[in-house]
Amino acid sequence: MGNVPTTVKHCLSYKQIIEDYPWLKSWLEEEKIITEHEYPDFVKIVEVGPRDGLQNEKENVPTRVKIQLIDMLSTTGLSVIEATSFVSSKWVPQMADHTDVLRGIQRAPHVRYPVLTPNMQGFQDAVSAGATEVAVFGSASETFSRKNINCSIAESMLRFEEVISAAKDRQIPVRGYVSCALGCPHEGNIDPSKVAEVAKGLYEMGCYEISLGDTIGVGTPGSMFKMLQKVMKDVPIKSLAVHCHDTYGQALPNILTALQMGVSVVDSAVAGLGGCPYAQGSSGNVSTEDVLYMLHGMGIETGVNLDRVIEAGDFICNALDRRTNSKVAQARGRTL
Amino acid sequence: NFSSSGPFSVRLIYLSLASVRAAHSLPGKVKIVEVGPRDGLQNEKTIVPTEAKIHLINMLTESGLPVIEATSFVSPKWVPQMADQVEVMNGISKKPGVSYPVLTPNLKGFQAAVSAGASEVAIFGAASELFSKKNINCSVEESLQRFEEVMKAAKEAAVPVRGYVSCVVGCPYEGHVAPEKVAHVAKRLYSMGCYEISLGDTIGVGTPGSMTKMLEAVTKEVPVSALAVHCHDTYGQALANILIALQMGISVVDSSVAGLGGCPYAQGASGNVATEDVVYMLHGLGIQTGVDLSKLMDAGAFICRTLNRKTSSKVAQATCKL
């Protein structure tokens, strides 16, 4: 056997190896880096609880409760809080008080309060009510578009062009959403090139950011990767956001995958508000608290105070008389 | 060129690092270790009748799972849920090719397990001194010495042993746990003869950040092919943590059907990650598991009815309502 070092046994000790062969250390340090991913230093969270969240809650929430929720969220460090939606109250009764909400909130400096505007009527009402940022919703699925907003994707894009043009005239930024980015409740699988096509269309029309939504939460890191690869070819990565639903528990690994690919804007909802209208009783939006826990644990800055978000979540859950969907809030609330 | 010359130890380092480098593509296959009947039920308040435990294990066998942790040979005084350990072992229909490991905290438990027909056992170490003292009333070193006895007997009986390390990214008493401590305990268990080491995030506090640091330390001491992750979903981080582990070359994942088993350190909070949700993610990534998701969900539905509780699996919740 000759001169076999004592470290050569059943198991090698890394520490011992370095002691025996000091020259190895720098070589091994280089090798180590390969397994590390690069993550953004900062992730912007877009809080959609007051709009997307409440819109999908069965209980009708009084206007003052909505206002209080938004005011609480405004003190957490969040820089974007989607306040309400200027759709017809016939379709979305929960958002009927859009004007009162927008006028009633205490706008914090450095916080933006975008509102949904599906068409020119909605846009004009939003502007009258004091909106300074708006959002439009496209779909990567023809069937979903027809069933949801009663027109084809192409027709909806024409509608949005009007809104975006009017918004440009008033220097109002517009955010674009693409729903069904990873699957459609009617069509099933969605071709990533279709998602890219719609995202590109919205971006070229003038949307400053495109939020890619896994509307029914069926996506996994596999489909997220493929979809983003395609979309990134047509829209700069810094203009992309992911809006993951947690219906199948996949939201956080999907968000992680997006971060690994360079995405640095994530949509989420306090307390995971908003069930899934396509899987009754199931969860919908990913919880802001759970996203923050993961990001902070990875050393990624968000500027958001987790405890304050948990408080806002407690408040709205009490008001709705429902349990939070956030696992972090559940764990924190019950630690022995 | 280091690979073909130089001392044996250097060549071994090169090979292990080369496997780490290649690991940033995902494994083609993942082995799921189903811990529902043991870790899951052990942490459920309702005592489950023996026939129901047996039926659950048989249904899980039918779903294609390759490893199903059947029961635990601890004293029924400590874990009343596992008091029917012998009946369960004798009652289940063991499928050839499927393993049914059982927990054996000491030599006595090991002997009882072998008499009851166990052909694989598992031992539990902790990466936290305080947790070890509070959980099994002795230091980490003392527990490892206790296990040496079990390892010796297992070797003589040609029974494979799986080692668990708990508190790998956080302890309910100590808080932060040093990755080097985890690596040390994992290495000891591996050197003693455990064929696989399962790294447990006992209180679910880990994130992709702490998982990466811990796995980097452990993979320096134990080959990645001998490692598994046992993530708890108490803070919703389990699937993200599992994804990171896969990206680092890990290809064995512990989980519990229906996410059975709450967290004893955060009352009312969830514990084990749900096997259905793990399988959904793995299949979505094109990774093979051998598991039939709908048969697995049937097993989950069965045990939830028996326990009169809602499933903790989001996949199960979503699918049954479409």
Side-chain angles (χ1 to χ4, degrees), chain A residues 71-140:
Chain A
D71 288 345
M72 285 182 86
L73 291 169
S74 294
T75 67
T76 60
L78 286 160
S79 60
V80 187
I81 302 168
E82 209 174 56
T84 187
S85 180
F86 283 79
V87 292
S88 157
S89 49
K90 192 173 61 176
W91 296 118
V92 187
Q94 182 77 277
M95 300 282 125
D97 55 2
H98 39 62
T99 303
D100 294 333
V101 168
L102 200 53
R103 291 216 176 116
I105 56 176
Q106 288 178 9
R107 295 191 195 210
H110 314 301
V111 183
R112 287 151 48 196
Y113 301 90
V115 299
L116 244 69
T117 52
N119 48 38
M120 274 309 286
Q121 178 71 57
F123 177 76
Q124 281 151 1
D125 293 343
V127 170
S128 307
T132 46
E133 184 174 323
V134 300
V136 295
F137 251 85
S139 167

Side-chain angles (χ1 to χ4, degrees), chain B residues 170-188:
Chain B
C171 168
Y173 311 106
E174 282 184 13
H176 174 72
V177 175
E180 292 66 38
K181 181 81 180 181
V182 183
H184 170 77
V185 178
K187 166 79 171 294
R188 282 291 303 274

Side-chain angles (χ1 to χ4, degrees), chain A:
Chain A
M1 282 276 267
N3 230 0
V4 174
T6 51
T7 48
V8 181
K9 295 178 204 155
H10 172 64
C11 259
L12 294 164
S13 155
Y14 177 74
K15 236 172 74 176
Q16 193 63 51
I17 294 265
I18 295 296
E19 273 172 39
D20 288 356
Y21 302 97
W23 51 268
L24 263 180
K25 187 155 197 259
S26 57
W27 182 71
L28 290 171
E29 299 281 282
E30 279 165 33
E31 291 290 310
K32 186 179 87 143
I33 292 160
I34 288 153
T35 52
E36 284 169 16
H37 286 278
E38 276 205 11
Y39 293 105
D41 294 322
F42 182 89
V43 162
K44 178 178 81 177
I45 304 263
V46 173
E47 172 59 48
V48 301
R51 201 278 311 163
D52 193 9
L54 293 184
Q55 184 170 307
N56 286 302
E57 290 286 326
K58 287 186 296 281
E59 296 271 329
N60 210 13
V61 179
T63 307
R64 54 173 175 76
V65 170
K66 287 184 182 123
I67 289 171
Q68 194 175 344
L69 173 64
I70 295 170
D71 288 345
M72 285 182 86
L73 291 169
S74 294
T75 67
T76 60
L78 286 160
S79 60
V80 187
I81 302 168
E82 209 174 56
T84 187
S85 180
F86 283 79
V87 292
S88 157
S89 49
K90 192 173 61 176
W91 296 118
V92 187
Q94 182 77 277
M95 300 282 125
D97 55 2
H98 39 62
T99 303
D100 294 333
V101 168
L102 200 53
R103 291 216 176 116
I105 56 176
Q106 288 178 9
R107 295 191 195 210
H110 314 301
V111 183
R112 287 151 48 196
Y113 301 90
V115 299
L116 244 69
T117 52
N119 48 38
M120 274 309 286
Q121 178 71 57
F123 177 76
Q124 281 151 1
D125 293 343
V127 170
S128 307
T132 46
E133 184 174 323
V134 300
V136 295
F137 251 85
S139 167
S141 153
E142 279 294 349
T143 317
F144 189 84
S145 188
R146 281 181 204 279
K147 290 202 180 234
N148 216 35
I149 52 174
N150 223 8
C151 64
S152 71
I153 296 177
E155 284 163 351
S156 73
M157 297 292 264
L158 289 172
R159 229 180 257 179
F160 300 146
E161 214 165 2
E162 270 193 298
V163 172
I164 295 171
S165 178
K168 259 190 205 140
D169 289 340
R170 292 171 181 275
Q171 279 143 11
I172 290 178
V174 184
R175 188 185 208 229
Y177 280 90
V178 182
S179 53
C180 296
L182 297 177
C184 169
H186 315 291
E187 284 183 21
N189 274 335
I190 294 290
D191 188 345
S193 358
K194 190 70 189 182
V195 183
E197 195 190 308
V198 178
K200 182 176 180 191
L202 289 167
Y203 184 70
E204 284 174 352
M205 272 196 262
C207 292
Y208 75 91
E209 193 169 88
I210 312 296
S211 174
L212 305 164
D214 182 9
T215 306
I216 47 170
V218 289
T220 63
S223 52
M224 174 63 85
F225 180 83
K226 287 188 186 118
M227 184 275 292
L228 282 176
Q229 244 189 343
K230 263 277 150 63
V231 178
M232 273 161 64
K233 289 195 173 115
D234 294 323
V235 180
I237 203 120
K238 59 176 173 51
S239 302
L240 291 174
V242 287
H243 183 114
C244 297
H245 277 198
D246 205 36
T247 319
Y248 289 77
Q250 308 296 306
L252 286 187
N254 290 344
I255 290 168
L256 183 63
T257 301
L259 296 174
Q260 289 176 350
M261 292 177 81
V263 171
S264 61
V265 184
V266 175
D267 298 1
S268 59
V270 61
L273 288 179
C276 179
Y278 302 95
Q280 207 190 5
S282 296
S283 66
N285 285 301
V286 67
S287 311
T288 302
E289 299 92 317
D290 299 0
V291 173
L292 286 172
Y293 187 89
M294 180 173 82
L295 296 176
H296 293 174
M298 292 167 71
I300 295 173
E301 307 229 355
T302 61
V304 184
N305 182 317
L306 173 56
D307 291 326
R308 294 220 178 136
V309 177
I310 293 177
E311 277 170 31
D314 282 344
F315 163 74
I316 191 62
C317 288
N318 278 334
L320 285 166
D321 192 25
R322 61 159 271 178
R323 235 186 132 197
T324 180
N325 272 341
S326 156
K327 288 213 162 171
V328 169
Q330 283 171 34
R332 286 276 180 94
R334 314 219 187 175
T335 314
L336 294 167

Side-chain angles (χ1 to χ4, degrees), chain B residues 23-47:
Chain B
H24 80 171
S25 57
L26 298 171
K29 279 194 174 126
V30 161
K31 177 175 83 177
I32 304 239
V33 173
E34 171 60 47
V35 301
R38 201 279 308 164
D39 192 9
L41 292 184
Q42 185 169 307
N43 286 302
E44 291 285 328
K45 287 186 293 282
T46 319
I47 297 279

Side-chain angles (χ1 to χ4, degrees), chain B residues 24 33 68 90 118 129 145 221 247:
Chain B
H24 80 171
V33 173
I68 302 165
N90 287 332
E129 285 297 343
Q145 278 161 15
E221 307 287 354
Q247 289 175 342

